[in-house]
């Protein structure tokens, strides 16, 4: 950069010197020493009141020197004007401590401007100063000089930094258009008045002062406009950053660029499983420097005390602040606190303006204060998505990794393939699946709060007694898993027995002494499988056999009766639907504000004559695997629409919701089947809601097809079920015809006791409403949770507080006992039901 600046300086000199020889007269015109001195001082004053603007490390300026310019041309001639202006520019820039190359360049530009003005005056008629033609000539001459100088400045910027953009062109040429002519006329007026009487100076002094004030105000407004433009530009950039570590670096880099700073550092406190982070952007590319990461740093303490941005410079720093600046090796600093979701404030600092003239000022502190709003919003958005991703991989109650995360860890551990003879532990792992013996009884007798407390106590016991290298996970319901890297089957069996014995104790839960008893199934890789799915399935088979094996059992192929049972169930699905074994239950959904029953969710059940109640997840997953999920969905849809039709026949409008598998969304005739079902039962599309899993709507094959749009065109509603348990974000829903989201019950169940859960729920509701989506909260089990959700603006509520899932006959009795009937809303054709208080 220094070499290019000197190159521009030499080019300007090469142009200025011969141009002066060609254009300026052979000798200086007669002029008094006093006149030359006055003109020189006028030039110094004008050049001192300059408008600065920056392009990275370079700063440029323009001034209203036309008053002195026109007086000098008229009174002391071209040669002395060039000399006085060149010396004045040099003196002012030396005082401002600009680099020598910039001083040389600016002196050359000032000389070229005088030469251009003199050349124009030679062509145009210049008579006595009291003739209008002379006034016009001076206006044209100085305007031409200003344009030439402005072109040289913009050319220098373009040569060193590329196209500077419209804002710089405006900053350079606006004074030429707005202030230049006024200043020339002011100079001409001074000349005319001085010719008339010496007392004119009593008028000239206040007039000149007023002109200076106007120019200073123009400079101030220009700087304010540039500052506002920086804030707007920064807001646009922040809106586009990614919600990850790269996005944080983008924010820091944008701040450094927009404030033209040498370095910017952002410190963020630890959050969930993330350690504290220090993100640094510097001109040199350094990723760290001393100071911002220290919690006891003087500036970090100062921003917390000020609760807002602070500005510190070496010239006005006290002893501690000076030490803080020296620690960083900087001379000025802007710092501010950041608002985060972690409960602890973050910290942001901007060090040293890159400009060689302009330093940080109060205007920059105000601009930073405005930018902080966007920075804080971006950080909170990132942390919300971090929370959602964390929750997708962790159990909400215990904070342990969940099944999904365990599977990833197992596959990563076994990715090395068969055991390495040189390392017997490579490719080996033991998996312990432990079930809490009395969980169901505690839940049924003491309620969910007591069983949750028991789970927390059990998780604590497992953490305490599991081997140090183990990965502990919470599976579904009462089950935990312990992954033991490097252990053989026999070593895993020994670890399982020790763990069961250590965890066998009595604990205090809900005021009662309860015994913790674990039933454990064991599987080992590579003996029982080399992938997570196989290993977990076989540990599950072993767990089923453990109850009859002293509490601990290892997998053996003989135990694979579970596979036979699944095979049998697969062959019976069609007949079970025909025989009515596969039926549906309904769970009411109410309006959070009015308590109107707005819908019922249709949930499928299978009452098997031999195996009893089959968990829906088991046979739905089985139906997906054997290609019968479409038939099951059609069966459930028919039962739901038949129930809806019966309500319509009673003049009651009550919509039904049906869950839709991602496998159904890939079936080419799905839309036609849904349309046919609606027509067959005579149910309008608006009374049907199809609930989609998060994974299904972000599946590439679904997003690239028109199936969602085609379903939506039938008039029905599309709802994203269990939002927050996958990897999607609300911003993805902008591209999909989704009408509502359902907050997963894992977020809702502990809202009344956890501020973190309330924060997540509130954030999802606000973001969904901003996207025009309605929000349903499922898992509402107490009045406090209901009141919190209602206060947050949640639209609909579903859960045990309203009603458990009920079969058709019991639902009818419930409706008769618990609900009343409202008249049809204006414009509606049917009556509505509401829950009586």
């Amino acid at each position: 950069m220094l070499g290019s600046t000197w190159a521009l300086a030499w080019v300007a000199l090469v142009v200025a010197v011969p141009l002066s020889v060609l254009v300026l007269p052979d000798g200086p015109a007669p002029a008094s020493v006093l006149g030359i001195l006055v003109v020189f001082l006028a030039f110094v004053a004008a050049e001192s009141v300059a408008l600065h603007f920056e392009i990275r490390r370079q700063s440029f300026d323009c001034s209203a020197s036309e008053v002195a310019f026109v007086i000098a041309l008229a009174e002391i001639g071209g040669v002395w004007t060039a000399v006085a202006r060149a010396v004045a520019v040099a003196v002012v820039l030396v005082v401002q401590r600009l680099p020598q190359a910039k001083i040389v360049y600016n002196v050359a530009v000032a000389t070229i401007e005088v030469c251009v003005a003199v050349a124009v005056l030679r062509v145009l008629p210049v008579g006595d100063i009291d003739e209008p033609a002379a006034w016009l000539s001076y206006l044209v001459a100085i305007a031409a000089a200003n344009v030439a100088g402005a072109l040289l400045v913009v050319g220098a910027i373009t040569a060193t930094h590329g196209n500077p953009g419209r804002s710089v062109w405006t900053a350079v040429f606006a004074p030429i258009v707005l202030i230049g002519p006024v200043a020339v006329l002011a100079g001409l007026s001074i000349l005319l008045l001085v010719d008339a009487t010496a007392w004119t100076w009593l008028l000239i002094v206040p007039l000149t002062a007023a002109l200076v004030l106007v120019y200073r105000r123009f400079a101030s407004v220009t700087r304010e406009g540039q500052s506002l433009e920086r804030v707007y530009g920064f807001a646009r950039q922040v809106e586009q950053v990614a919600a990850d570590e790269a996005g944080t670096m983008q924010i820091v880099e944008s701040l450094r660029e927009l404030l033209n700073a040498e370095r910017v550092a952002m410190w963020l406190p630890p959050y969930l499983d993330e350690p504290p982070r220090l993100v640094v952007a510097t001109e040199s590319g350094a990723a760290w420097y001393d100071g911002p990461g220290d919690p006891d740093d003087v500036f970090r303490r100062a921003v917390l005390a000020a609760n807002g941005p602070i500005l510190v410079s070496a010239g006005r720093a006290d002893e501690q602040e000076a030490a803080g600046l020296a620690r960083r090796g900087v001379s000025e600093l802007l710092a501010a606190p950041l608002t985060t979701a972690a409960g602890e404030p973050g910290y942001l600092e901007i060090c040293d303006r890159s400009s060689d003239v302009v330093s940080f000022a109060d205007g920059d502190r105000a601009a930073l204060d405005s930018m902080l709003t966007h920075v804080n919003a971006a950080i909170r958005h990132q942390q919300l998505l971090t929370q959602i991703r964390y929750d997708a991989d962790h159990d909400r109650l215990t904070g342990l990794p969940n099944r999904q995360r365990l599977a990833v860890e197992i596959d990563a551990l076994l990715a090395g393939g068969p055991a390495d003879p040189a390392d017997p532990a490579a490719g080996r792992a033991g998996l312990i699946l432990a079930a809490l013996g009395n969980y169901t009884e505690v839940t049924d007798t003491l309620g969910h709060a007591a069983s949750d407390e028991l789970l927390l106590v059990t998780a604590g016991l497992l953490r305490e007694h599991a081997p140090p290298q183990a990965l502990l996970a919470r599976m579904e319901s009462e089950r935990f898993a312990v992954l033991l890297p490097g252990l053989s089957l026999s070593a895993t069996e020994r670890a399982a027995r020790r763990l069961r014995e250590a965890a066998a104790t009595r604990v205090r839960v809900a005021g009662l002494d309860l015994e913790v008893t674990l039933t454990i199934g064991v599987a080992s890789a590579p003996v029982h499988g080399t992938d997570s799915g196989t290993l977990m399935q076989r540990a599950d088979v072993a767990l089923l056999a453990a109850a009859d094996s002293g509490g601990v059992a290892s997998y053996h192929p003989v135990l694979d009766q579970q596979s036979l049972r699944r095979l049998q169930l697969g062959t019976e699905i069609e007949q079970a639907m025909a025989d009515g074994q596969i039926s549906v239950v309904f769970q009411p959904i109410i309006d959070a504000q009015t308590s109107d029953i707005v819908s019922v969710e249709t949930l499928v059940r299978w009452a098997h004559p031999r195996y009893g109640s089959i968990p829906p997840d088991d046979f739905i997953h089985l139906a997906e695997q054997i290609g019968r999920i479409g038939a099951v969905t059609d069966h459930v849809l028919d039962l739901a629409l038949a129930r809806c039709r019966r309500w319509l026949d009673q003049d009651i409008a009550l919509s039904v919701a049906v869950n839709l598998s991602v496998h159904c969304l890939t079936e080419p005739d799905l839309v036609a089947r849904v349309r046919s079902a609606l027509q067959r039962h005579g149910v309008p599309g608006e009374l049907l809601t199809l609930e989609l899993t998060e994974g299904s709507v972000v599946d590439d094959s679904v997003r690239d097809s028109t199936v969602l749009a085609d379903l939506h065109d039938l008039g029905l509603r599309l709802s994203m079920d269990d939002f927050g348990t996958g990897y999607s974000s609300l911003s993805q829903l902008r591209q999909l015809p989704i009408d509502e989201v359902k907050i997963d019950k894992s977020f809702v169940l502990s809202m009344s006791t956890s501020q973190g859960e309330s924060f997540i729920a509130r954030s999802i509701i606000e973001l969904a409403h901003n996207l025009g989506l309605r929000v349903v909260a499922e898992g509402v089990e107490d009045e406090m949770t209901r009141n919190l959700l209602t206060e947050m603006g949640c639209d609909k509520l579903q859960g045990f507080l309203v009603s458990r899932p009920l079969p058709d006959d019991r639902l009818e009795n419930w409706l008769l006992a618990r609900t009343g009937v409202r008249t049809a809303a204006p414009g509606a054709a049917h009556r509505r039901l509401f829950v009586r208080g």
Side-chain angles (χ1 to χ4, degrees):
M1 184 63 68
L2 182 61
S4 62
T5 305
W6 269 113
L8 289 171
W10 286 116
V11 169
L13 272 178
V14 168
V15 174
V17 172
L19 188 62
S20 300
V21 173
L22 289 174
V23 173
L24 298 178
D26 295 334
S32 67
V33 175
L34 178 61
I36 295 172
L37 181 61
V38 169
V39 168
F40 167 74
L41 293 176
F43 274 126
V44 169
E47 295 295 338
S48 299
V49 185
L51 173 62
H52 297 282
F53 54 96
E54 304 166 75
I55 304 293
R56 295 179 191 160
R57 294 191 63 85
Q58 305 298 323
S59 61
F60 301 88
D61 56 73
C62 56
S63 63
S65 59
E66 290 84 356
V67 174
F69 201 174
V70 70
I71 293 174
L73 288 174
E75 294 297 321
I76 63 175
V79 174
W80 286 117
T81 299
V83 171
R85 192 174 188 199
V87 174
V89 169
V91 168
V92 170
L93 298 186
V94 167
V95 171
Q96 292 178 350
R97 298 183 180 179
L98 258 67
Q100 293 180 354
K102 297 198 73 174
I103 295 174
V104 171
Y105 178 79
N106 281 279
V107 168
V109 170
T111 304
I112 291 171
E113 288 179 350
V114 174
C115 292
V116 170
V118 170
V120 172
L121 290 175
R122 285 187 176 178
V123 175
L124 298 177
V126 181
D128 293 335
I129 198 66
D130 57 354
E131 296 178 0
W135 304 345
L136 183 60
S137 297
Y138 279 116
L139 277 169
V140 173
I142 292 179
N146 285 341
V147 170
L151 290 174
L152 288 170
V153 169
V154 175
I157 296 172
T158 304
T160 54
H161 301 290
N163 187 359
R166 190 176 67 179
S167 61
V168 173
W169 285 88
T170 302
V172 172
F173 282 94
I176 295 174
V177 176
L178 301 177
I179 295 179
V182 176
V184 171
L185 294 177
L188 292 170
S189 301
I190 291 171
L191 289 172
L192 291 171
L193 292 171
V194 169
D195 271 351
T197 172
W199 291 103
T200 301
W201 287 108
L202 296 177
L203 299 176
I204 292 174
V205 171
L207 180 63
T208 304
L211 186 63
V212 169
L213 291 175
V214 169
Y215 193 79
R216 287 175 67 90
R217 179 57 185 163
F218 175 80
S220 174
V221 170
T222 301
R223 284 193 297 270
E224 290 173 3
Q226 291 171 344
S227 175
L228 192 60
E229 186 175 344
R230 288 204 307 269
V231 173
Y232 285 151
F234 178 74
R236 289 192 296 269
Q237 290 183 27
V238 166
E239 287 177 357
Q240 299 170 4
V241 301
D244 52 20
E245 290 189 14
T248 308
M249 176 57 79
Q250 282 181 275
I251 294 172
V252 172
E253 285 284 6
S254 297
L255 279 168
R256 190 180 73 81
E257 180 180 343
L258 289 168
L259 290 172
N260 197 24
E262 297 237 346
R263 65 176 79 159
V264 174
M266 179 187 293
W267 181 88
L268 296 173
Y271 186 63
L272 299 176
D273 57 350
E274 293 182 350
R277 288 190 295 153
L278 179 63
V279 184
V280 173
T282 65
E283 283 193 342
S284 64
W288 180 89
Y289 65 91
D290 192 22
D294 181 4
D296 295 323
D297 179 70
V298 60
F299 299 125
R300 285 185 57 174
R301 295 199 309 269
V303 296
L304 291 179
N307 196 30
I310 62 170
L311 171 60
V312 181
S313 60
R316 293 181 291 180
D318 60 27
E319 185 176 345
Q320 284 189 328
E321 291 172 340
L325 293 174
R327 177 183 188 181
R328 292 161 169 78
V330 301
S331 59
E332 57 179 348
L333 173 144
L334 273 170
L338 298 176
T339 303
T340 73
E344 181 182 354
Y347 172 74
L348 175 70
E349 70 174 32
I350 299 98
C351 299
D352 278 355
R353 199 69 169 257
S354 292
S355 169
D356 46 16
V357 174
V358 181
S359 59
F360 289 132
D362 287 337
D364 296 297
R365 179 165 57 183
L368 176 61
D369 202 13
S370 299
M371 293 178 189
L372 284 179
T373 302
H374 305 287
V375 174
N376 289 332
I379 290 172
R380 285 197 298 270
H381 179 61
Q382 288 181 342
Q383 291 181 326
L384 170 61
L385 294 181
T386 298
Q387 174 83 58
I388 291 174
R389 285 193 291 266
Y390 178 88
D391 290 338
D393 276 347
H394 290 78
D395 173 54
R396 305 287 296 175
L397 177 65
T398 63
L400 295 174
N402 59 15
R403 175 185 286 272
Q404 177 176 290
R405 176 67 176 272
L406 177 66
V408 171
E409 295 291 340
I410 293 174
D411 287 332
L413 186 63
L414 302 181
D420 183 355
D423 182 8
R428 289 194 325 201
L431 180 63
I432 294 173
L433 196 61
L436 189 56
N438 52 351
Y439 174 80
T440 303
E441 291 79 3
V442 171
T443 303
D444 293 343
T445 306
L446 302 176
H448 285 291
S451 59
D452 286 350
E453 187 178 350
L454 181 60
L455 288 171
L456 287 170
V457 171
T458 305
L461 290 170
L462 292 174
R463 281 193 185 99
E464 181 181 354
H465 297 293
Q469 77 276 19
L471 172 69
L472 186 61
R474 163 92 189 281
M475 310 296 274
E476 60 284 330
S477 190
E478 77 280 13
R479 296 186 179 186
F480 293 86
V482 183
L483 178 64
L484 300 167
L487 293 195
S488 64
L489 175 59
S490 59
T492 303
E493 289 173 338
R494 290 193 297 271
R497 291 189 178 91
R498 287 196 300 268
L499 190 61
R500 185 172 186 271
E501 292 170 3
T505 184
R506 298 188 70 84
V507 296
R508 191 77 172 173
V509 173
L512 300 175
D513 287 329
L514 302 179
E515 186 174 358
V516 176
T517 57
L518 297 178
T519 304
I520 292 178
V522 174
S524 178
V527 179
H528 298 144
T530 56
D531 63 87
S532 60
T534 303
L535 204 61
M536 288 193 290
Q537 187 268 335
R538 291 181 170 172
D540 193 51
V541 170
L543 179 61
L544 294 174
D548 301 323
S549 306
V552 177
S554 296
Y555 171 77
H556 190 278
V558 175
L559 302 176
D560 268 333
Q561 295 301 317
Q562 180 73 10
S563 299
L564 296 174
R565 173 176 176 267
R566 286 171 56 82
L567 180 61
Q568 180 181 351
L569 291 176
T571 62
E572 295 177 355
I573 286 180
E574 289 284 355
Q575 191 61 43
M577 288 189 291
D579 294 343
Q581 296 174 22
I582 296 181
S583 60
V584 294
V585 294
F586 303 95
Q587 187 170 30
I589 302 172
I590 66 170
D591 186 288
Q593 304 297 326
T594 65
S595 293
D596 284 1
I597 300 178
V598 292
S599 181
V600 292
E601 182 176 4
T602 310
L603 304 168
V604 65
R605 297 289 186 265
W606 187 351
H608 195 279
R610 177 180 175 187
Y611 298 121
S613 178
I614 308 296
D617 287 346
D618 287 357
F619 69 84
I620 291 296
H621 183 59
L622 176 61
E624 290 175 337
Q625 288 182 322
I626 65 175
R628 303 306 301 152
I629 189 62
V632 174
T633 300
D634 291 346
H635 179 67
V636 173
L637 187 60
D638 271 328
L639 294 175
L641 292 177
R643 174 68 269 188
C644 185
R645 179 66 257 173
R646 290 197 295 274
W647 280 319
L648 286 174
D649 292 340
Q650 298 172 28
D651 195 27
I652 293 173
L654 191 55
S655 69
V656 291
V658 174
N659 290 281
L660 206 59
S661 165
V662 64
H663 294 269
C664 292
L665 292 174
T666 61
E667 294 173 346
D669 62 340
L670 172 67
V671 177
R673 288 175 9 231
V674 174
R675 181 188 297 111
S676 175
L678 289 169
Q679 293 172 349
R680 185 165 59 253
H681 292 281
V683 174
E686 62 265 21
L687 291 182
L688 173 63
T689 299
L690 295 181
E691 295 190 0
L692 317 169
T693 62
E694 214 174 334
S696 66
V697 297
V698 297
D699 183 87
D700 289 338
S701 62
V702 173
R703 295 181 66 184
D704 294 340
S705 72
T706 63
V707 61
L708 295 181
D710 293 342
L711 286 171
H712 203 261
D713 288 344
L714 297 178
L716 53 81
R717 297 178 181 275
L718 296 178
S719 173
M720 179 185 278
D721 196 13
D722 299 335
F723 180 78
T725 60
Y727 288 96
S728 71
S729 67
L730 282 167
S731 60
Q732 292 177 286
L733 303 187
R734 296 178 180 175
Q735 306 166 13
L736 300 169
I738 301 296
D739 299 288
E740 70 180 22
V741 295
K742 296 186 74 172
I743 307 175
D744 184 63
K745 62 183 178 183
S746 62
F747 289 91
V748 176
L749 286 173
S750 55
M751 275 183 55
S752 59
T753 58
S754 171
Q755 289 185 349
E757 311 303 330
S758 293
F759 170 79
I760 295 297
R762 186 184 297 274
S763 299
I764 291 175
I765 291 169
E766 290 177 355
L767 290 171
H769 284 170
N770 288 338
L771 293 175
L773 304 176
R774 296 178 68 81
V775 182
V776 183
E778 53 182 342
V780 181
E781 296 190 357
D782 56 74
E783 287 289 349
M784 182 177 293
T785 302
R786 172 179 180 161
N787 294 337
L788 284 171
L789 289 165
T790 303
E791 178 190 340
M792 292 175 187
C794 184
D795 301 293
K796 304 176 187 178
L797 306 175
Q798 178 181 358
F800 286 180
L801 179 66
V802 179
S803 172
R804 294 175 179 272
L806 301 171
D808 193 4
D809 55 343
R810 291 182 59 193
L811 176 66
E812 196 68 28
N813 293 334
W814 184 88
L815 292 174
L816 290 172
R818 294 286 306 279
T819 66
V821 179
R822 289 192 209 278
T823 57
H830 302 283
R831 298 177 298 166
R832 298 165 293 161
L833 297 177
F834 68 94
V835 178
R836 289 196 292 262

